Amino acid sequence: MDLSELERDNTGRCRLSSPVPPVCLKEPCVLGVDEAGRGPVLGPMVYAICYCPLSRLEDLEALKVADSKTLSESERDRLFAKMEEDGDFVGWALDVLSPNLISTSMLGRVKYNLNALSHDTATGLVQFALDQGVNVAQVFVDTVGLPETYQERLQQRFPGIEVTVKAKADALYPVVSAASICAKVARDQAVKNWKFVEKLQDLDTDYGSGYPNDPKTKAWLRKHVDPVFGFPQFVRFSWRTAQSILETEAEDVKWEDSETGDQEGPGKIKSYFSESPQTCVRLPHRYFQERGLESATVL
C-alpha cells in the first residue's frame, strides 16, 4: 500500500483507492464500511470501504477474511495482498484522517465531534465509489453510535441502495471484514512509517498500543510533551489523556485581553523570554522557524 502522499503531508487527510474492477461497473455490488484507530490517542484514524459483485461474494468469503482485530499483523498483510491479487473482482478505497485533523475538528470554534466526523467520512467513501461508477446495490456498515439512527441517515442519503448498519458488522459480514483489514493495514503502516515534522530529541518509537490506558503510551506522551507547544502532531491532543498530561507537565499560560501592568508570576507570556544571554544554544521551535520569527530580548 503506497502511503507516500500521507508521508509528504500528514497534517490533514489522505485518500487512497484501488483501480475499479471492470466487473464492478456492470454487475450489482455489495460494499462494506469499517474503520481502524478510532480509540487510540496516537496516530491517524482510517476509514475504508471494500466492494465486490454480489455474484462473487462467495469468492471473497473463500479468502477467509475476518474481523481485523482477531488477526495478527502478518495475517492481515497476507489477506490484503490476496485481495490485491484478486483485483479483477475486489476493489477498495480509504481515507486516512490525521491526528491533527481529528483534534482540530473536535476543538474548533464550531465543534465537530468524532461520531459526526466518522459518519461524514463513511458517507464520503460510499459516494466516492458511486462517483467512480461502482454499481453499488447493498451497503453494510459497522455502526458508530446508535445503528438505527445511523442506518436511517445513510438510507436517506442513498435511497436507491439497501443499507444495513449493525454493531460488530466486521464479524458478521465478510465484505465489512475485508474493509476492516484494509483500514487496519493502512493504519499500521502509517504509524510505523510516521514522519515527525518536529525535531524531537531522543525520539522513542516504542509507543505501546497507542491506547489511552496503556502505561507505555502514557510514558511516551510524558516524555515527548513540550512545556510550551505541547505534543507532536502524532498525538490527538483533544483526548482526555493528552489534556491531563498537558495540565500537569506543561506551562500554564494566561492570556490578557489588555495590559494590567508588569505583574510577575507563573503563566505570564514574559516568562518565555529572557533578558540575559542564553547560556546554551537551542534551536527555536518549528512554529518560529516556519514564520521567520526571532526571540525578543525586550518586551
Side-chain angles (χ1 to χ4, degrees):
M1 186 178 292
D2 183 9
L3 291 178
S4 56
E5 182 181 344
L6 176 70
E7 292 170 3
R8 286 193 297 271
D9 181 9
N10 56 23
T11 61
R13 74 167 67 210
C14 168
R15 175 169 289 173
L16 304 175
S17 64
S18 70
V20 178
V23 68
C24 293
L25 301 173
K26 302 175 183 178
E27 295 190 23
C29 292
V30 57
L31 180 149
V33 184
D34 200 9
E35 53 77 23
R38 178 179 168 83
V41 66
L42 301 178
M45 178 173 69
V46 180
Y47 255 85
I49 58 172
C50 186
Y51 53 87
C52 73
L54 285 163
S55 63
R56 303 292 299 272
L57 188 55
E58 289 186 1
D59 294 329
L60 181 64
E61 294 175 2
L63 298 179
K64 306 298 183 184
V65 292
D67 176 5
S68 64
K69 295 185 287 296
T70 68
L71 302 171
S72 67
E73 183 174 354
S74 61
E75 288 174 322
R76 291 191 296 266
D77 290 340
R78 179 185 62 79
L79 286 169
F80 179 75
K82 184 62 178 171
M83 285 190 284
E84 288 278 79
E85 292 174 11
D86 292 333
D88 62 325
F89 75 94
V90 177
W92 56 268
L94 55 85
D95 272 353
V96 183
L97 279 60
S98 72
N100 184 66
L101 173 69
I102 294 169
S103 291
T104 53
S105 297
M106 293 177 66
L107 297 179
R109 186 179 296 274
V110 178
K111 304 301 180 189
Y112 189 26
N113 66 41
L114 193 61
N115 280 7
L117 182 61
S118 298
H119 291 167
D120 290 347
T121 302
T123 302
L125 283 169
V126 175
Q127 185 62 55
F128 174 75
L130 293 171
D131 292 343
Q132 294 294 104
V134 179
N135 185 8
V136 180
Q138 297 178 4
V139 170
F140 293 90
V141 185
D142 194 19
T143 194
V144 171
L146 293 174
E148 298 81 8
T149 304
Y150 192 8
Q151 179 171 315
E152 181 181 1
R153 176 181 176 182
L154 286 172
Q155 195 65 76
Q156 290 177 351
R157 178 67 176 78
F158 304 107
I161 299 173
E162 181 183 340
V163 178
T164 301
V165 178
K166 294 280 188 182
K168 307 296 183 184
D170 48 1
L172 298 173
Y173 306 106
V175 71
V176 182
S177 301
S180 76
I181 290 170
C182 294
K184 183 62 174 170
V185 168
R187 173 177 156 81
D188 286 348
Q189 185 174 327
V191 169
K192 187 180 298 183
N193 300 323
W194 190 263
K195 302 296 184 184
F196 285 85
V197 295
E198 302 85 3
K199 301 296 187 291
L200 300 178
Q201 296 180 352
D202 302 321
L203 174 62
D204 179 7
T205 56
D206 186 3
Y207 320 117
S209 68
Y211 280 86
N213 59 352
D214 186 338
K216 185 176 287 188
T217 298
K218 289 182 179 179
W220 189 92
L221 288 168
R222 290 191 178 92
K223 179 179 180 181
H224 293 291
V225 62
D226 185 280
V228 177
F229 292 98
F231 293 108
Q233 291 186 352
F234 186 56
V235 178
R236 302 180 193 179
F237 53 84
S238 57
W239 260 230
R240 183 64 235 173
T241 300
Q243 292 179 354
S244 296
I245 291 174
L246 280 175
E247 290 169 0
T248 57
E249 304 291 334
E251 295 287 344
D252 291 329
V253 177
K254 182 179 180 182
W255 296 95
E256 301 288 357
D257 291 333
S258 58
E259 293 188 16
T260 56
D262 293 333
Q263 298 177 357
E264 296 295 332
K268 300 301 183 185
I269 197 66
K270 287 179 63 176
S271 65
Y272 302 119
F273 299 89
S274 172
E275 296 182 0
S276 59
Q278 297 290 327
T279 57
C280 61
V281 177
R282 182 180 179 183
L283 288 175
H285 190 274
R286 182 173 60 90
Y287 177 89
F288 295 109
Q289 295 184 53
E290 290 176 351
R291 292 160 176 77
L293 301 175
E294 297 180 355
S295 298
T297 56
V298 178
L299 293 180

